[in-house]
Amino acid sequence: AQSVTQLGSHVSVSEGALVLLRCNYSSSVPPYLFWYVQYPNQGLQLLLKYTTGATLVKGINGFEAEFKKSETSFHLTKPSAHMSDAAEYFCAVSAKTHYNQGGKLIFGQGTELSVKP
Amino acid sequence: DVKVTQSSRYLVKRTGEKVFLECVQDMDHENMFWYRQDPGLGLRLIYFSYDVKMKEKGDIPEGYSVSREKKERFSLILESASTNQTSMYLCASRSTGIRDQPQHFGDGTRLSIL
């Protein structure tokens, strides 16, 4: 079984500061990991994904995440926050075999990012 | 770009009504999903479908049913709406033709049951 824990339901940073959103996962089999972003009144948009290969993954809008198997983590970072980054962010996990058969994802509770001017 | 369209952005219904939420995707995806999103709980899978007329229960199927008569359309049905089904509902679709393809989401339907 898989599960995801996002540490911190709300994170607030100043514009230009580092963004760090934490995600820890549990999976007994090799995982696929995803970060999605949700802007107000919209659906979820894929930021980045880790499936195989390089453990540092770059996504859209300057975000990146590093898969650390030993720490079962997949934290999302951005060097310099912008006002437009204010949104809710979701981490999600799936077992590789399950995902390629059916595509089911397990989502974390979400982290709301606020950016102060 | 993949387009997943949910028929209504906002919907208000009364307790006991039968409610239909519609979702259409334009990319010939095999897999389609219905989630509900509640504050502090993230997204929870209600049902998913991996082919026409095929469906499988997710984590919280109670009180819901689904229909997939055509590949592009996946409907979520609240048989007898209750106030605890007030929520944001999100539809997603995904291709199985290529490994590790992501799910693509619609903009959601915010449903209020009075």
Side-chain angles (χ1 to χ4, degrees):
Chain A
Q2 289 79 42
S3 66
V4 176
T5 301
Q6 291 183 237
L7 298 175
S9 57
H10 291 89
V11 170
S12 182
V13 301
S14 297
E15 193 172 18
L18 170 72
V19 175
L20 171 61
L21 304 182
R22 298 178 187 274
C23 173
N24 287 90
Y25 70 91
S26 172
S27 179
S28 57
V29 296
Y32 283 169
L33 293 157
F34 301 81
W35 275 102
Y36 282 86
V37 60
Q38 184 180 34
Y39 299 103
N41 296 318
Q42 293 186 24
L44 274 66
Q45 177 183 358
L46 181 70
L47 269 180
L48 50 79
K49 63 182 181 180
Y50 168 77
T51 57
T52 190
T55 56
L56 182 62
V57 181
K58 295 188 185 298
I60 62 172
N61 302 338
F63 284 92
E64 62 183 35
E66 187 170 10
F67 171 58
K68 291 188 176 181
K69 185 178 178 180
S70 60
E71 299 177 9
T72 61
S73 69
F74 190 57
H75 301 330
L76 182 70
T77 60
K78 182 174 181 178
S80 177
H82 192 271
M83 297 295 291
S84 61
D85 295 326
E88 189 156 21
Y89 293 79
F90 292 92
C91 182
V93 67
S94 182
K96 280 186 182 179
T97 50
H98 294 169
Y99 192 76
N100 289 313
Q101 290 167 1
K104 287 196 294 182
L105 289 172
I106 305 299
F107 284 86
Q109 305 92 318
T111 297
E112 187 170 350
L113 175 67
S114 301
V115 182
K116 298 175 290 186
Chain B
D1 272 358
V2 176
K3 185 71 174 175
V4 179
T5 303
Q6 295 184 229
S7 54
S8 303
R9 295 297 304 275
Y10 300 93
L11 207 53
V12 180
K13 296 292 183 181
R14 297 203 174 274
T15 304
E17 280 192 70
K18 190 169 186 176
V19 180
F20 293 85
L21 303 184
E22 307 287 346
C23 175
V24 176
Q25 49 93 4
D26 66 355
M27 287 300 292
D28 203 36
H29 286 173
E30 294 82 8
N31 293 353
M32 295 188 75
F33 308 83
W34 274 107
Y35 295 91
R36 67 175 281 174
Q37 180 182 6
D38 300 288
L41 297 178
L43 277 72
R44 294 178 291 167
L45 182 65
I46 305 171
Y47 267 97
F48 73 102
S49 168
Y50 45 92
D51 204 345
V52 176
K53 296 190 186 294
M54 307 300 284
K55 61 186 179 185
E56 194 166 317
K57 294 180 180 179
D59 300 317
I60 51 165
E62 296 78 19
Y64 303 95
S65 62
V66 290
S67 172
R68 194 165 179 203
E69 297 296 319
K70 293 184 178 181
K71 193 173 186 179
E72 67 271 19
R73 185 180 297 272
F74 192 36
S75 302
L76 179 70
I77 304 158
L78 286 65
E79 297 290 344
S80 177
S82 64
T83 55
N84 62 11
Q85 292 178 309
T86 291
S87 187
M88 168 73 96
Y89 290 87
L90 290 164
C91 175
S93 73
R94 174 183 174 267
S95 168
T96 56
I98 302 174
R99 291 174 64 87
D100 70 49
Q101 285 297 292
Q103 292 186 14
H104 300 269
F105 285 81
D107 284 337
T109 296
R110 191 168 292 280
L111 176 64
S112 296
I113 306 296
L114 305 180

